[in-house]
Amino acid sequence: MIDTKILLRAYRYMSQVKVMAETYEANRSVCKYVHSTSRGHEAIQLATAFQLQSQDFVSPYYRDESMLQGLGFTPYQQMLQLLAKADDIFTGGREYYSHPNFKGDDKPVIIHQSSATGMQAIPTTGIAQGIRFWEKSNPGRLKKGKNGELPIVICSMGDASVTEGEVSEAMQFAVLKQLPIIYLVQDNNWGISVSAGEARSMNAYEYVAGFKGMNRVQVDGSDFEASYKVMKEVCEFVRRERKPCLVHAETPLLGHHTSGVRKDFYRSQVDWEKHEKNDPVPQLRKKLIERGVTETELLHIEKEAAERIDADFKMAIAAPEPDPASVEQYVFVPTSVKEEKGERSPANAEKVLMVDAALYAIRELMEDNPEMILYGQDVGKRLGGVFREAATLAEQFGEHRVFNTAIQEAFIVGSTVGLNAIGIKPVVEVQFADYIYPGFNQLVTEISKSCYLTCGKFPISMVLRVPIGAYGGGGPYHSGSVETTLLSIKGIKVVYPSNAADMKGLMKAAFYDGNPVVILEHKGLYWSKVPGTDEAKTIEPSRDYIIPLGKASIVIKASDAAMANGESCLVITYGMGVYWAKAAGKKFNQQIEVIDLRTLYPLDEELIFERVKAHGKCLILTEEQQNNSFAEALAGRISKQCFKNLDAPVEVLGALNLPAVPMNMRLEQAMLPDAEKAVQILKQLLNS
């Protein structure tokens, strides 16, 4: 039998949450930001919270306000987030109610997770992935409980989220690797206005029967005593056996879906009454009376709850609003890499291919950083990457540090969030740029926003390697350019090296930057197989060579005489465009200067504007389809900043505006820019 003290503790929290919901409803003009409450879900949420220890990790979802109270967060702290106040301890007024994040010694760690339904499953599974890594490689890195208890992970979700494909990716990985994670699914039979019968053919408990190795259990989530017993057993099992489990908890939905989607919009009176019969609060009250707790004592608990919520709500209303001047803070954490260091061309060193420079950089990073791991499709021991860009790494560092994944771009990208929370620094790979789109959901929704929405508590240090670009008939799904799409995401950095030395220096900088960095690696430059790209091979830089992100380089300079006579032109480019520009420059008499951007964000605007003003004429050269591209956006920025110094409109040369790169090599050539096409535009600029 559960100790009555535990039941009384739960009843205190339930009483507070009930009054909170009533207070929010009675003050709708004050509680103007969209929010959900946990009414109906209190029992399973509190039963879960009571099992967790400070070494554990939990990802509550947007209805888990009762769970937060059970973990030790106060109503006042929750209300500050409800009202988006400056002192909101979670996000400083930037995030919805019950969207917590927490890093401290006295409670479980809570990483950032979005409102995107089910998106927390992959990052949270990444935490369990990280725990398993440390268990096998360095158990001393794990925080343990007072009696040596190992950490567990809980991922909380509504049942409607289980139909998301990314939840399946997470569960596939969890059962494959047998991770210490509990998927808590709270099933109230509604997904906004969509009923369970409309949206799914089975509930979560039935669904996971197909995941071999997933333990599962069902419970009446409105019954605190039953929920407590089940969650205690499940948490002890996962803590001991280190195996995944799903808990399916049936709950009523007593409040609105959210304050913005009210229950009377879509639910009948009959449905409300059916759910109200399973209200956890009167159920627990009845059990307490049966245990001998007096009516007077219960009324006292309810009175205390009402008084506390009233006082906390008044304080929260009076709390200060965020300072608008703070709105740009925490997009990135400051990087330690601020200047170029090391030898770019050491004496007696040999020239290396660009693909090998990347390989050597990764090898050196893994030697120096035992917390670094590398994974993606086909990068493991058997192949070492489809471009051999990870060859021999698994043999040297072991398959626990370099390993293959399934075709799960979302998991590859999103799991890096959870790994960061456990002290692991991942480098991951998507096989081709054309395949990055399934990972965009995690890149946009979770990774790019984590630092900003946690006020810097959870920056994501990750490197995402993406082979990119067209050459040699790669066809529609292996030749695309995606930089403009990536650059539309705020909160990530984008790097695009064009030669071996830059590849090594930028790879090191990306790893140590402390923020999410996508490295676009042109596969046509990997081995310098494309005619005219021999200079992509360079002397291998020293081990300590590093280039700060956001610093472009001048690869060809125009003569002073040409510039003085107004007979010069600047070409701004990157990747394969560098070699088209260099080849085009040879057709002119020292009249062409070429800037290799190297980093597309942050962008070296200082050098760009300085050199544009020095020449007065400018061509931006890109492999991407031209319309609405990054290159055209940059042209607009240059036109605005350098308007008084321009002798001609800024020109842009990109690929034809086609939906895909055709496979036939003559058609491919017709689509893409090249040196000759650049020469024609440069002639026009110089004659203008």
Side-chain angles (χ1 to χ4, degrees):
M1 182 179 289
I2 301 172
D3 191 325
T4 302
K5 291 180 181 178
I6 294 174
L7 301 186
L8 283 168
R9 181 184 173 206
Y11 192 71
R12 288 189 183 93
Y13 288 131
M14 285 189 187
S15 298
Q16 289 183 171
V17 167
K18 183 174 183 292
V19 178
M20 287 164 70
E22 292 166 351
T23 301
Y24 302 163
E25 182 67 12
N27 293 273
R28 289 172 59 189
S29 62
V30 176
C31 304
K32 56 191 175 184
Y33 301 108
V34 173
H35 58 272
S36 296
T37 74
S38 59
R39 285 293 286 122
H41 292 238
E42 299 97 327
I44 186 62
Q45 291 181 18
L46 290 168
T48 301
F50 289 179
Q51 313 308 320
L52 293 176
Q53 302 174 14
S54 62
Q55 76 273 18
D56 295 330
F57 297 79
V58 59
S59 289
Y61 87 118
Y62 60 81
R63 202 175 293 286
D64 279 345
E65 63 176 355
S66 290
M67 185 184 293
L68 295 180
Q69 288 206 22
L71 292 172
F73 296 101
T74 66
Y76 177 65
Q77 289 172 325
Q78 293 176 280
M79 291 171 185
L80 289 172
Q81 188 172 52
L82 171 83
L83 302 178
K85 296 290 188 165
D87 295 333
D88 161 28
I89 65 165
F90 304 123
T91 70
R94 298 177 176 195
E95 182 63 286
Y96 293 103
Y97 181 58
S98 200
H99 284 61
N101 62 83
F102 180 78
K103 182 185 289 185
D105 295 326
D106 62 332
K107 298 179 183 69
V109 172
I110 305 173
I111 62 172
H112 167 260
Q113 56 265 281
S114 68
S115 282
T117 310
M119 292 305 97
Q120 72 271 40
I122 285 176
T124 309
T125 304
I127 299 172
Q129 177 188 355
I131 290 172
R132 175 66 82 207
F133 174 80
W134 288 130
E135 284 181 331
K136 291 184 176 180
S137 63
N138 187 358
R141 286 290 300 264
L142 288 174
K143 181 182 176 183
K144 298 182 178 65
K146 294 178 181 178
N147 298 311
E149 300 96 335
L150 289 169
I152 60 172
V153 182
I154 290 184
C155 179
S156 179
M157 300 182 286
D159 194 75
S161 68
V162 179
T163 56
E164 284 277 7
E166 294 191 11
V167 174
S168 172
E169 288 192 25
M171 290 179 176
Q172 285 274 7
F173 196 90
V175 295
L176 177 67
K177 302 295 184 180
Q178 286 294 282
L179 302 180
I181 185 168
I182 299 163
Y183 298 100
L184 171 62
V185 179
Q186 300 174 53
D187 186 0
N188 59 35
N189 282 286
W190 285 100
I192 309 186
S193 67
V194 181
S195 68
E198 292 175 280
R200 66 191 194 214
S201 60
M202 66 196 82
N203 66 30
Y205 178 82
E206 295 161 336
Y207 176 67
V208 298
F211 290 85
K212 185 179 179 181
M214 180 74 79
N215 301 279
R216 59 187 182 134
V217 64
Q218 295 192 96
V219 67
D220 178 356
S222 70
D223 183 332
F224 177 78
E225 202 164 9
S227 297
Y228 186 91
K229 289 176 181 176
V230 165
M231 291 311 300
K232 187 174 189 296
E233 290 172 2
V234 169
C235 289
E236 288 176 351
F237 169 80
V238 176
R239 206 179 292 284
R240 181 181 67 250
E241 300 296 330
R242 320 306 289 158
K243 295 178 180 179
C245 186
L246 180 135
V247 177
H248 176 248
E250 290 270 7
T251 65
L253 178 60
L254 301 182
H256 309 291
H257 169 71
T258 67
S259 58
V261 183
R262 303 177 64 76
K263 62 184 180 181
D264 43 299
F265 292 176
Y266 62 94
R267 294 169 66 189
S268 68
Q269 184 71 31
V270 172
D271 181 70
W272 297 354
E273 291 172 355
K274 178 183 173 183
H275 280 243
E276 285 168 356
K277 288 177 183 178
N278 294 318
D279 189 335
V281 181
Q283 285 189 63
L284 182 54
R285 197 178 198 282
K286 182 182 177 192
K287 286 187 178 182
L288 285 166
I289 289 174
E290 290 170 355
R291 291 264 190 119
V293 179
T294 66
E295 179 75 16
T296 301
E297 188 173 353
L298 293 174
L299 289 172
H300 180 69
I301 289 172
E302 293 160 10
K303 182 173 180 290
E304 278 189 331
E307 290 173 349
R308 178 174 188 179
I309 298 311
D310 181 62
D312 283 2
F313 189 63
K314 288 174 180 174
M315 281 198 302
I317 291 172
E321 297 285 331
D323 182 353
S326 70
V327 71
E328 292 185 289
Q329 293 176 358
Y330 304 115
V331 177
F332 296 111
V333 290
T335 178
S336 60
V337 183
K338 297 181 179 178
E339 58 185 31
E340 187 171 352
K341 293 182 180 179
E343 291 187 75
R344 184 177 176 90
S345 302
N348 303 319
E350 296 182 356
K351 279 192 173 184
V352 294
L353 294 165
M354 198 163 117
V355 69
D356 288 335
L359 175 66
Y360 301 155
I362 295 289
R363 179 185 297 157
E364 291 169 0
L365 286 167
M366 294 195 79
E367 288 171 347
D368 295 341
N369 300 277
E371 72 277 16
M372 175 181 168
I373 63 174
L374 170 69
Y375 59 99
Q377 296 165 30
D378 298 304
V379 303
K381 188 175 182 179
R382 197 171 292 112
L383 184 61
V386 294
F387 301 104
R388 303 293 288 160
E389 72 280 6
T392 74
L393 292 176
E395 293 176 359
Q396 181 175 350
F397 298 105
E399 293 182 84
H400 65 298
R401 292 186 67 191
V402 181
F403 54 90
N404 291 327
T405 67
I407 302 172
Q408 294 182 329
E409 287 85 3
F411 189 88
I412 291 168
V413 174
S415 55
T416 63
V417 177
L419 288 166
N420 267 260
I422 198 74
I424 294 170
K425 296 189 69 172
V427 175
V428 296
E429 182 173 317
V430 169
Q431 208 164 71
F432 291 93
D434 307 80
Y435 299 169
I436 198 173
Y437 296 104
F440 257 69
N441 207 355
Q442 290 291 325
L443 193 62
V444 174
T445 308
E446 308 298 333
I447 290 173
S448 69
K449 295 176 172 61
S450 183
C451 187
Y452 183 70
L453 293 180
T454 64
C455 296
K457 292 193 290 295
F458 289 98
I460 309 302
S461 178
M462 61 85 80
V463 178
L464 173 57
R465 299 182 65 184
V466 183
I468 193 171
Y471 84 101
Y477 302 107
H478 300 82
S479 308
S481 292
V482 298
E483 54 264 36
T484 293
T485 312
L486 283 166
L487 290 164
S488 70
I489 306 169
K490 313 311 171 191
I492 66 171
K493 299 184 180 183
V494 181
V495 171
Y496 204 141
S498 68
N499 59 70
D502 286 349
M503 172 68 89
K504 188 172 184 182
L506 291 168
M507 183 74 76
K508 295 283 184 84
F511 180 80
Y512 291 116
D513 188 84
N515 296 288
V517 182
V518 180
I519 299 188
L520 302 176
E521 306 175 14
H522 200 295
K523 57 187 191 290
L525 301 177
Y526 266 156
W527 296 289
S528 292
K529 286 185 176 180
V530 177
T533 62
D534 282 348
E535 291 180 359
K537 292 185 287 187
T538 69
I539 297 293
E540 183 188 359
S542 61
R543 186 184 187 94
D544 61 344
Y545 182 64
I546 197 164
I547 303 170
L549 305 187
K551 294 294 181 182
S553 68
I554 299 174
V555 294
I556 294 180
K557 294 204 73 170
S559 69
D560 292 340
M563 292 174 64
N565 294 329
E567 298 174 347
S568 66
C569 183
L570 177 69
V571 180
I572 301 169
T573 188
Y574 54 93
M576 186 63 77
V578 171
Y579 298 93
W580 296 328
K582 288 166 81 170
K586 293 176 182 177
K587 304 290 186 179
F588 300 89
N589 183 24
Q590 295 184 294
Q591 295 171 278
I592 307 302
E593 183 168 309
V594 178
I595 287 181
D596 180 358
L597 292 177
R598 301 197 295 192
T599 302
L600 306 186
Y601 191 86
L603 188 64
D604 193 348
E605 292 186 346
E606 182 179 354
L607 180 64
I608 290 168
F609 297 153
E610 173 197 315
R611 301 316 298 162
V612 169
K613 291 174 182 178
H615 292 276
K617 302 181 180 72
C618 175
L619 166 64
I620 303 172
L621 179 58
T622 177
E623 184 172 325
E624 271 198 301
Q625 292 94 325
Q626 183 171 322
N627 278 13
N628 304 314
S629 63
F630 157 70
E632 287 197 334
L634 178 57
R637 212 175 316 167
I638 290 170
S639 297
K640 182 178 180 180
Q641 293 294 326
C642 306
F643 179 75
K644 294 179 180 179
N645 304 89
L646 289 172
D647 298 324
V650 178
E651 291 286 349
V652 177
L653 174 60
L656 298 179
N657 299 300
L658 305 175
V661 180
M663 182 174 289
N664 180 276
M665 284 188 278
R666 293 183 68 181
L667 295 176
E668 177 188 76
Q669 185 179 15
M671 177 187 181
L672 297 177
D674 58 26
E676 281 305 312
K677 294 174 184 177
V679 166
Q680 297 307 311
I681 294 180
L682 289 171
K683 284 180 178 178
Q684 294 172 18
L685 276 169
L686 289 170
N687 292 327
S688 62

